[in-house]
Amino acid sequence: MKIAVTSASGKLGSSIIRQLINEISSDNVIGIARTPEKAKHLGIEVREGDYNNRVHFDKALEGIDTVLLISGMDEPQKRIQQHRIVIDAAKANGVKKIVYTSIVGAEENNAFSPVVQSNRQTENDIKNSGLDWVIGRNGIYIEPDLEYLDTYIKDGEIRNCAGLGKCTYTSREELGYAYSKMLVQDSHGNKTYNLVGEPLSQKELVKLINQVYNTKLVFNAISAEEYAKERKRELGEFIGGVITGIYEGIRDEEYDITSDYEKASGRPHKLAVEMIKEFKLNQKT
Ligand SMILES: NC(=O)c1ccc[n+]([C@@H]2O[C@H](COP(=O)([O-])OP(=O)(O)OC[C@H]3O[C@@H](n4cnc5c(N)ncnc54)[C@H](OP(=O)(O)O)[C@@H]3O)[C@@H](O)[C@H]2O)c1
């Protein structure tokens, strides 16, 4: 059985591939990447695949039985069309099963909702494709907060508009493990899973970060307006708005949801403290 993973050069794609080759021979795992040279380090066959290019995917999916489609990075309407290129090429080239990395979150009411809506549209496109399918709705990654730690330490605080809301953080490592199982096992047919960990407030997250990194951070809640202004100044209009929308969603309890992680992966999701410790360990090596 040949399994292809798109966006192989990215952090999620690499994590899935690293864990997938523990499940099946690396000869049967094919990476598809917009920039193939960035995926060379994975030590597997890598084929070219830009989501804007149908010809790439007709070639890249030749002889593939199962494809994992990692959600794109472009603005929402463009993503839907890009994902359709992969789905249509999969259908035309005899692929039997498609696994899609979607997202949890509110379809309305915040600045992240258009991204969530575009993911739901792709979920529907996949369900209507006639292929076997499995959908994972990924939780919010914990890593970006940890990558930001130097800034947090400089400021002495984590500051955002999540208020008292709880977020069920996951990590790319945890997701990689779950997808490696969802790709090779037959028991997940036509299932949609929330791939999330335990619910944590920002105050609880800060406490765990302080425990692992021996820092003295505090959490300060600010308004969504104030936070949006800060994020857009630093990250630009689109990404700044999207990040603010995620924290508004946390404030509104949109991420305090039931986890299907164990059903998808066969083991419980790691605790947040374990994910933080692992991240710290990997930073050192
Ligand atoms: N759950 C969360 O908290 C969260 C946070 C951020 C993102 N996401 C979603 O998760 C996905 C994967 O995240 P990640 O951590 O792997 O991000 P990442 O490390 O930044 O990687 C992004 C990947 O997308 C690829 N890509 C971008 N445009 C493409 C195109 N037109 N055609 C084909 N590939 C394209 C990039 O290829 P190149 O190497 O060629 O640039 C790269 O492999 C993102 O695409 C996004 O939809 C989720």
Side-chain angles (χ1 to χ4, degrees):
M1 179 170 74
K2 296 255 183 215
I3 300 180
V5 176
T6 69
S7 285
S9 58
K11 295 192 189 98
L12 180 60
S14 310
S15 167
I16 294 168
I17 288 169
R18 271 190 288 103
Q19 302 191 69
L20 184 58
I21 58 187
N22 294 330
E23 302 289 328
I24 58 168
S25 149
S26 57
D27 292 344
N28 289 325
V29 179
I30 283 95
I32 301 179
R34 175 174 64 175
T35 323
E37 56 273 23
K38 279 165 69 181
K40 261 194 184 150
H41 66 279
L42 293 167
I44 54 165
E45 179 187 345
V46 180
R47 301 179 184 172
E48 187 174 23
D50 184 322
Y51 291 148
N52 297 302
N53 192 321
R54 170 69 192 261
V55 177
H56 284 176
F57 277 91
D58 278 332
K59 279 185 94 172
L61 292 175
E62 255 173 39
I64 300 297
D65 300 291
T66 297
V67 63
L68 180 125
L69 168 58
I70 293 196
S71 146
M73 298 286 276
D74 275 304
E75 53 94 7
Q77 284 312 311
K78 197 164 172 203
R79 278 186 205 198
I80 293 172
Q81 300 309 326
Q82 292 174 329
H83 297 162
R84 283 181 180 153
I85 284 183
V86 181
I87 298 164
D88 290 345
K91 273 161 56 179
N93 286 280
V95 172
K96 293 175 199 71
K97 170 173 160 182
I98 184 161
V99 182
Y100 173 53
T101 73
S102 186
I103 188 86
V104 295
E107 286 162 52
E108 281 170 21
N109 297 333
N110 67 54
F112 188 55
S113 297
V115 173
V116 177
Q117 277 171 23
S118 74
N119 278 258
R120 296 289 171 271
Q121 180 59 57
T122 297
E123 291 182 13
N124 288 333
D125 289 344
I126 284 172
K127 289 176 185 170
N128 293 328
S129 68
L131 301 173
D132 292 340
W133 56 267
V134 191
I135 292 167
R137 290 185 174 169
N138 295 352
I140 301 301
Y141 303 156
I142 201 163
E143 291 96 333
D145 265 311
L146 305 174
E147 283 157 7
Y148 231 67
L149 198 59
D150 286 345
T151 309
Y152 293 149
I153 291 171
K154 218 180 318 149
D155 294 348
E157 62 174 356
I158 291 186
R159 183 175 63 239
N160 61 50
C161 61
L164 299 174
K166 296 205 175 205
C167 180
T168 41
Y169 287 100
T170 186
S171 70
R172 295 182 184 97
E173 280 304 300
E174 284 297 87
L175 292 172
Y177 183 78
Y179 282 108
S180 71
K181 302 289 181 187
M182 289 153 68
L183 281 162
V184 298
Q185 296 172 348
D186 289 331
S187 52
H188 305 290
N190 298 3
K191 301 246 170 68
T192 301
Y193 294 124
N194 287 336
L195 300 177
V196 300
E198 66 189 304
L200 278 186
S201 68
Q202 294 297 294
K203 217 170 159 184
E204 288 164 332
L205 175 68
V206 167
K207 201 168 158 196
L208 294 181
I209 293 175
N210 284 341
Q211 183 188 320
V212 175
Y213 281 90
N214 203 20
T215 47
K216 292 194 168 57
L217 299 174
V218 293
F219 170 62
N220 283 317
I222 59 174
S223 71
E225 292 71 25
E226 212 180 326
Y227 190 58
K229 229 187 267 171
E230 261 185 28
R231 291 297 85 201
K232 287 180 181 176
R233 203 168 41 232
E234 189 172 327
L235 302 167
E237 209 44 41
F238 176 63
I239 299 289
V242 162
I243 302 286
T244 306
I246 290 175
Y247 284 99
E248 286 178 289
I250 298 174
R251 179 197 63 198
D252 299 339
E253 308 285 2
E254 299 290 352
Y255 295 95
D256 190 358
I257 54 172
T258 312
S259 177
D260 301 313
Y261 187 88
E262 190 162 355
K263 282 185 215 150
S265 73
R267 68 150 166 81
H269 194 286
K270 284 184 183 156
L271 294 173
V273 71
E274 294 176 86
M275 294 192 288
I276 299 170
K277 281 182 183 165
E278 263 179 27
F279 182 88
K280 188 179 176 200
L281 205 67
N282 291 337
Q283 266 180 324
K284 282 191 182 152
T285 52

mmCIF file of all heavy atoms in Angstrom, residues 7 9-13 34-35 38 49-52 70-74 79 82 103 138-141 172, ligand 1:
data_model
loop_
_atom_site.group_PDB
_atom_site.id
_atom_site.type_symbol
_atom_site.label_atom_id
_atom_site.label_comp_id
_atom_site.label_asym_id
_atom_site.label_seq_id
_atom_site.Cartn_x
_atom_site.Cartn_y
_atom_site.Cartn_z
ATOM 1 N N SER A 7 2.288 18.586 1.571
ATOM 2 C CA SER A 7 2.993 19.572 2.415
ATOM 3 C C SER A 7 4.051 18.888 3.277
ATOM 4 O O SER A 7 4.210 19.194 4.471
ATOM 5 C CB SER A 7 2.023 20.349 3.309
ATOM 6 O OG SER A 7 1.318 21.289 2.539
ATOM 7 N N SER A 9 7.115 19.167 3.389
ATOM 8 C CA SER A 9 8.209 20.014 3.891
ATOM 9 C C SER A 9 7.828 20.775 5.156
ATOM 10 O O SER A 9 8.686 21.335 5.823
ATOM 11 C CB SER A 9 8.614 21.032 2.812
ATOM 12 O OG SER A 9 7.488 21.819 2.457
ATOM 13 N N GLY A 10 6.541 20.781 5.496
ATOM 14 C CA GLY A 10 6.095 21.539 6.673
ATOM 15 C C GLY A 10 6.284 20.744 7.959
ATOM 16 O O GLY A 10 6.621 19.554 7.933
ATOM 17 N N LYS A 11 6.042 21.410 9.082
ATOM 18 C CA LYS A 11 6.295 20.766 10.384
ATOM 19 C C LYS A 11 5.284 19.649 10.655
ATOM 20 O O LYS A 11 5.651 18.603 11.179
ATOM 21 C CB LYS A 11 6.226 21.809 11.499
ATOM 22 C CG LYS A 11 7.332 22.865 11.412
ATOM 23 C CD LYS A 11 7.378 23.669 12.705
ATOM 24 C CE LYS A 11 8.308 24.862 12.587
ATOM 25 N NZ LYS A 11 7.580 26.112 12.296
ATOM 26 N N LEU A 12 4.025 19.861 10.286
ATOM 27 C CA LEU A 12 3.038 18.799 10.517
ATOM 28 C C LEU A 12 3.281 17.627 9.564
ATOM 29 O O LEU A 12 3.294 16.469 9.981
ATOM 30 C CB LEU A 12 1.604 19.341 10.351
ATOM 31 C CG LEU A 12 0.500 18.309 10.568
ATOM 32 C CD1 LEU A 12 0.552 17.717 11.976
ATOM 33 C CD2 LEU A 12 -0.879 18.922 10.308
ATOM 34 N N GLY A 13 3.511 17.941 8.283
ATOM 35 C CA GLY A 13 3.778 16.885 7.295
ATOM 36 C C GLY A 13 4.973 16.034 7.711
ATOM 37 O O GLY A 13 4.926 14.798 7.649
ATOM 38 N N ARG A 34 5.539 21.296 -2.255
ATOM 39 C CA ARG A 34 5.672 22.403 -3.214
ATOM 40 C C ARG A 34 7.154 22.654 -3.493
ATOM 41 O O ARG A 34 7.543 22.946 -4.619
ATOM 42 C CB ARG A 34 5.027 23.663 -2.618
ATOM 43 C CG ARG A 34 5.210 24.887 -3.469
ATOM 44 C CD ARG A 34 4.454 26.054 -2.950
ATOM 45 N NE ARG A 34 4.904 26.498 -1.628
ATOM 46 C CZ ARG A 34 4.442 27.582 -1.016
ATOM 47 N NH1 ARG A 34 3.503 28.311 -1.594
ATOM 48 N NH2 ARG A 34 4.892 27.924 0.170
ATOM 49 N N THR A 35 7.968 22.513 -2.456
ATOM 50 C CA THR A 35 9.418 22.733 -2.589
ATOM 51 C C THR A 35 10.124 21.429 -2.191
ATOM 52 O O THR A 35 10.515 21.253 -1.031
ATOM 53 C CB THR A 35 9.861 23.883 -1.648
ATOM 54 O OG1 THR A 35 8.835 24.894 -1.622
ATOM 55 C CG2 THR A 35 11.167 24.495 -2.088
ATOM 56 N N LYS A 38 13.093 20.898 0.215
ATOM 57 C CA LYS A 38 12.917 21.133 1.656
ATOM 58 C C LYS A 38 12.443 19.877 2.397
ATOM 59 O O LYS A 38 12.381 19.870 3.625
ATOM 60 C CB LYS A 38 11.917 22.281 1.876
ATOM 61 C CG LYS A 38 12.577 23.650 1.704
ATOM 62 C CD LYS A 38 11.604 24.790 1.560
ATOM 63 C CE LYS A 38 10.808 25.136 2.779
ATOM 64 N NZ LYS A 38 9.859 26.259 2.507
ATOM 65 N N GLY A 49 4.462 18.959 -5.638
ATOM 66 C CA GLY A 49 3.016 19.196 -5.569
ATOM 67 C C GLY A 49 2.680 20.546 -4.980
ATOM 68 O O GLY A 49 2.713 20.740 -3.771
ATOM 69 N N ASP A 50 2.384 21.496 -5.876
ATOM 70 C CA ASP A 50 1.872 22.811 -5.446
ATOM 71 C C ASP A 50 0.354 22.727 -5.536
ATOM 72 O O ASP A 50 -0.180 22.303 -6.575
ATOM 73 C CB ASP A 50 2.430 23.897 -6.393
ATOM 74 C CG ASP A 50 2.021 25.298 -5.968
ATOM 75 O OD1 ASP A 50 0.868 25.485 -5.514
ATOM 76 O OD2 ASP A 50 2.852 26.216 -6.108
ATOM 77 N N TYR A 51 -0.343 23.130 -4.490
ATOM 78 C CA TYR A 51 -1.805 23.012 -4.471
ATOM 79 C C TYR A 51 -2.483 23.783 -5.609
ATOM 80 O O TYR A 51 -3.662 23.584 -5.870
ATOM 81 C CB TYR A 51 -2.370 23.507 -3.134
ATOM 82 C CG TYR A 51 -2.051 22.640 -1.929
ATOM 83 C CD1 TYR A 51 -1.894 23.202 -0.666
ATOM 84 C CD2 TYR A 51 -1.941 21.261 -2.051
ATOM 85 C CE1 TYR A 51 -1.618 22.418 0.450
ATOM 86 C CE2 TYR A 51 -1.663 20.475 -0.940
ATOM 87 C CZ TYR A 51 -1.510 21.062 0.300
ATOM 88 O OH TYR A 51 -1.243 20.279 1.397
ATOM 89 N N ASN A 52 -1.750 24.692 -6.246
ATOM 90 C CA ASN A 52 -2.347 25.446 -7.355
ATOM 91 C C ASN A 52 -2.204 24.717 -8.685
ATOM 92 O O ASN A 52 -2.671 25.224 -9.703
ATOM 93 C CB ASN A 52 -1.669 26.819 -7.480
ATOM 94 C CG ASN A 52 -1.895 27.640 -6.232
ATOM 95 O OD1 ASN A 52 -3.041 27.885 -5.861
ATOM 96 N ND2 ASN A 52 -0.817 28.034 -5.565
ATOM 97 N N ILE A 70 -2.956 17.847 3.759
ATOM 98 C CA ILE A 70 -2.769 18.834 4.839
ATOM 99 C C ILE A 70 -3.357 20.154 4.367
ATOM 100 O O ILE A 70 -3.052 20.631 3.270
ATOM 101 C CB ILE A 70 -1.266 18.996 5.177
ATOM 102 C CG1 ILE A 70 -0.767 17.703 5.801
ATOM 103 C CG2 ILE A 70 -1.049 20.203 6.092
ATOM 104 C CD1 ILE A 70 0.538 17.774 6.524
ATOM 105 N N SER A 71 -4.203 20.715 5.200
ATOM 106 C CA SER A 71 -4.879 21.960 4.849
ATOM 107 C C SER A 71 -3.862 23.051 4.471
ATOM 108 O O SER A 71 -2.806 23.169 5.104
ATOM 109 C CB SER A 71 -5.740 22.334 6.052
ATOM 110 O OG SER A 71 -5.816 23.684 6.211
ATOM 111 N N GLY A 72 -4.198 23.845 3.418
ATOM 112 C CA GLY A 72 -3.268 24.853 2.900
ATOM 113 C C GLY A 72 -3.159 26.083 3.784
ATOM 114 O O GLY A 72 -3.768 26.156 4.862
ATOM 115 N N MET A 73 -2.385 27.044 3.321
ATOM 116 C CA MET A 73 -2.066 28.222 4.139
ATOM 117 C C MET A 73 -2.655 29.505 3.551
ATOM 118 O O MET A 73 -2.551 30.563 4.159
ATOM 119 C CB MET A 73 -0.539 28.415 4.181
ATOM 120 C CG MET A 73 0.231 27.284 4.800
ATOM 121 S SD MET A 73 0.075 27.247 6.567
ATOM 122 C CE MET A 73 1.341 28.418 7.022
ATOM 123 N N ASP A 74 -3.252 29.416 2.354
ATOM 124 C CA ASP A 74 -3.715 30.649 1.701
ATOM 125 C C ASP A 74 -5.040 31.132 2.292
ATOM 126 O O ASP A 74 -5.626 30.478 3.147
ATOM 127 C CB ASP A 74 -3.861 30.408 0.191
ATOM 128 C CG ASP A 74 -2.541 30.604 -0.528
ATOM 129 O OD1 ASP A 74 -1.977 31.697 -0.381
ATOM 130 O OD2 ASP A 74 -2.083 29.661 -1.194
ATOM 131 N N ARG A 79 -8.017 28.456 -0.609
ATOM 132 C CA ARG A 79 -7.746 27.115 -0.077
ATOM 133 C C ARG A 79 -8.743 26.085 -0.593
ATOM 134 O O ARG A 79 -8.379 24.970 -0.917
ATOM 135 C CB ARG A 79 -7.920 27.101 1.447
ATOM 136 C CG ARG A 79 -6.765 27.598 2.195
ATOM 137 C CD ARG A 79 -7.024 27.396 3.667
ATOM 138 N NE ARG A 79 -6.234 28.360 4.406
ATOM 139 C CZ ARG A 79 -5.957 28.263 5.683
ATOM 140 N NH1 ARG A 79 -6.401 27.256 6.379
ATOM 141 N NH2 ARG A 79 -5.219 29.180 6.274
ATOM 142 N N GLN A 82 -7.801 25.076 -3.969
ATOM 143 C CA GLN A 82 -6.552 24.296 -3.954
ATOM 144 C C GLN A 82 -6.819 22.870 -3.482
ATOM 145 O O GLN A 82 -6.313 21.905 -4.069
ATOM 146 C CB GLN A 82 -5.542 24.971 -3.020
ATOM 147 C CG GLN A 82 -5.038 26.311 -3.543
ATOM 148 C CD GLN A 82 -4.151 27.012 -2.532
ATOM 149 O OE1 GLN A 82 -4.326 26.867 -1.313
ATOM 150 N NE2 GLN A 82 -3.200 27.793 -3.032
ATOM 151 N N ILE A 103 -9.739 21.459 11.015
ATOM 152 C CA ILE A 103 -9.475 22.278 12.211
ATOM 153 C C ILE A 103 -10.724 22.330 13.087
ATOM 154 O O ILE A 103 -11.836 22.303 12.577
ATOM 155 C CB ILE A 103 -9.040 23.706 11.775
ATOM 156 C CG1 ILE A 103 -8.564 24.577 12.941
ATOM 157 C CG2 ILE A 103 -10.151 24.427 11.021
ATOM 158 C CD1 ILE A 103 -7.126 24.403 13.263
ATOM 159 N N ASN A 138 -8.030 19.169 13.777
ATOM 160 C CA ASN A 138 -6.878 19.401 14.647
ATOM 161 C C ASN A 138 -7.173 20.477 15.690
ATOM 162 O O ASN A 138 -7.767 21.516 15.378
ATOM 163 C CB ASN A 138 -5.675 19.874 13.820
ATOM 164 C CG ASN A 138 -5.188 18.799 12.863
ATOM 165 O OD1 ASN A 138 -5.651 17.655 12.912
ATOM 166 N ND2 ASN A 138 -4.254 19.167 12.002
ATOM 167 N N GLY A 139 -6.699 20.228 16.908
ATOM 168 C CA GLY A 139 -6.738 21.260 17.942
ATOM 169 C C GLY A 139 -5.688 22.320 17.665
ATOM 170 O O GLY A 139 -4.919 22.229 16.696
ATOM 171 N N ILE A 140 -5.667 23.324 18.532
ATOM 172 C CA ILE A 140 -4.668 24.400 18.413
ATOM 173 C C ILE A 140 -3.312 23.862 18.877
ATOM 174 O O ILE A 140 -3.222 23.194 19.899
ATOM 175 C CB ILE A 140 -5.109 25.608 19.286
ATOM 176 C CG1 ILE A 140 -6.480 26.119 18.824
ATOM 177 C CG2 ILE A 140 -4.057 26.715 19.276
ATOM 178 C CD1 ILE A 140 -6.539 26.578 17.382
ATOM 179 N N TYR A 141 -2.277 24.126 18.055
ATOM 180 C CA TYR A 141 -0.925 23.670 18.417
ATOM 181 C C TYR A 141 -0.445 24.414 19.665
ATOM 182 O O TYR A 141 -0.633 25.630 19.780
ATOM 183 C CB TYR A 141 0.094 24.005 17.330
ATOM 184 C CG TYR A 141 -0.150 23.487 15.933
ATOM 185 C CD1 TYR A 141 0.430 24.161 14.849
ATOM 186 C CD2 TYR A 141 -0.877 22.339 15.671
ATOM 187 C CE1 TYR A 141 0.260 23.720 13.549
ATOM 188 C CE2 TYR A 141 -1.049 21.890 14.370
ATOM 189 C CZ TYR A 141 -0.476 22.578 13.313
ATOM 190 O OH TYR A 141 -0.624 22.148 12.029
ATOM 191 N N ARG A 172 2.077 19.052 17.203
ATOM 192 C CA ARG A 172 2.281 18.399 15.897
ATOM 193 C C ARG A 172 2.750 16.968 16.094
ATOM 194 O O ARG A 172 2.465 16.102 15.272
ATOM 195 C CB ARG A 172 3.284 19.199 15.063
ATOM 196 C CG ARG A 172 2.790 20.603 14.689
ATOM 197 C CD ARG A 172 3.819 21.294 13.827
ATOM 198 N NE ARG A 172 3.497 22.662 13.501
ATOM 199 C CZ ARG A 172 3.966 23.730 14.164
ATOM 200 N NH1 ARG A 172 4.750 23.576 15.206
ATOM 201 N NH2 ARG A 172 3.644 24.950 13.768
HETATM 202 N N1 LIG B 1 -3.906 23.807 14.521
HETATM 203 C C1 LIG B 1 -3.159 24.892 14.533
HETATM 204 O O1 LIG B 1 -2.901 25.508 15.600
HETATM 205 C C2 LIG B 1 -2.566 25.408 13.259
HETATM 206 C C3 LIG B 1 -1.649 26.466 13.305
HETATM 207 C C4 LIG B 1 -1.074 26.876 12.109
HETATM 208 C C5 LIG B 1 -1.418 26.250 10.924
HETATM 209 N N2 LIG B 1 -2.325 25.264 10.911
HETATM 210 C C6 LIG B 1 -2.679 24.536 9.657
HETATM 211 O O2 LIG B 1 -1.875 23.369 9.617
HETATM 212 C C7 LIG B 1 -1.198 23.273 8.365
HETATM 213 C C8 LIG B 1 0.177 22.689 8.543
HETATM 214 O O3 LIG B 1 0.891 23.356 9.545
HETATM 215 P P1 LIG B 1 2.457 23.249 9.685
HETATM 216 O O4 LIG B 1 2.743 23.373 11.111
HETATM 217 O O5 LIG B 1 2.988 22.073 8.961
HETATM 218 O O6 LIG B 1 2.896 24.583 8.910
HETATM 219 P P2 LIG B 1 4.316 24.913 8.276
HETATM 220 O O7 LIG B 1 5.414 24.191 8.983
HETATM 221 O O8 LIG B 1 4.376 26.395 8.166
HETATM 222 O O9 LIG B 1 4.212 24.288 6.816
HETATM 223 C C9 LIG B 1 3.339 24.782 5.854
HETATM 224 C C10 LIG B 1 3.414 23.843 4.677
HETATM 225 O O10 LIG B 1 2.451 24.253 3.714
HETATM 226 C C11 LIG B 1 3.086 24.141 2.445
HETATM 227 N N3 LIG B 1 2.402 24.954 1.448
HETATM 228 C C12 LIG B 1 2.093 26.259 1.511
HETATM 229 N N4 LIG B 1 1.493 26.646 0.362
HETATM 230 C C13 LIG B 1 1.432 25.544 -0.431
HETATM 231 C C14 LIG B 1 0.954 25.304 -1.727
HETATM 232 N N5 LIG B 1 0.431 26.273 -2.487
HETATM 233 N N6 LIG B 1 1.053 24.048 -2.223
HETATM 234 C C15 LIG B 1 1.579 23.053 -1.497
HETATM 235 N N7 LIG B 1 2.083 23.218 -0.254
HETATM 236 C C16 LIG B 1 1.998 24.459 0.260
HETATM 237 C C17 LIG B 1 4.499 24.626 2.706
HETATM 238 O O11 LIG B 1 5.354 24.292 1.629
HETATM 239 P P3 LIG B 1 6.755 25.071 1.370
HETATM 240 O O12 LIG B 1 7.779 24.323 2.185
HETATM 241 O O13 LIG B 1 6.966 24.960 -0.083
HETATM 242 O O14 LIG B 1 6.576 26.490 1.842
HETATM 243 C C18 LIG B 1 4.785 23.820 3.981
HETATM 244 O O15 LIG B 1 5.105 22.491 3.692
HETATM 245 C C19 LIG B 1 -1.173 24.678 7.836
HETATM 246 O O16 LIG B 1 -1.156 24.574 6.458
HETATM 247 C C20 LIG B 1 -2.449 25.288 8.398
HETATM 248 O O17 LIG B 1 -3.534 25.035 7.537
HETATM 249 C C21 LIG B 1 -2.877 24.811 12.052
#
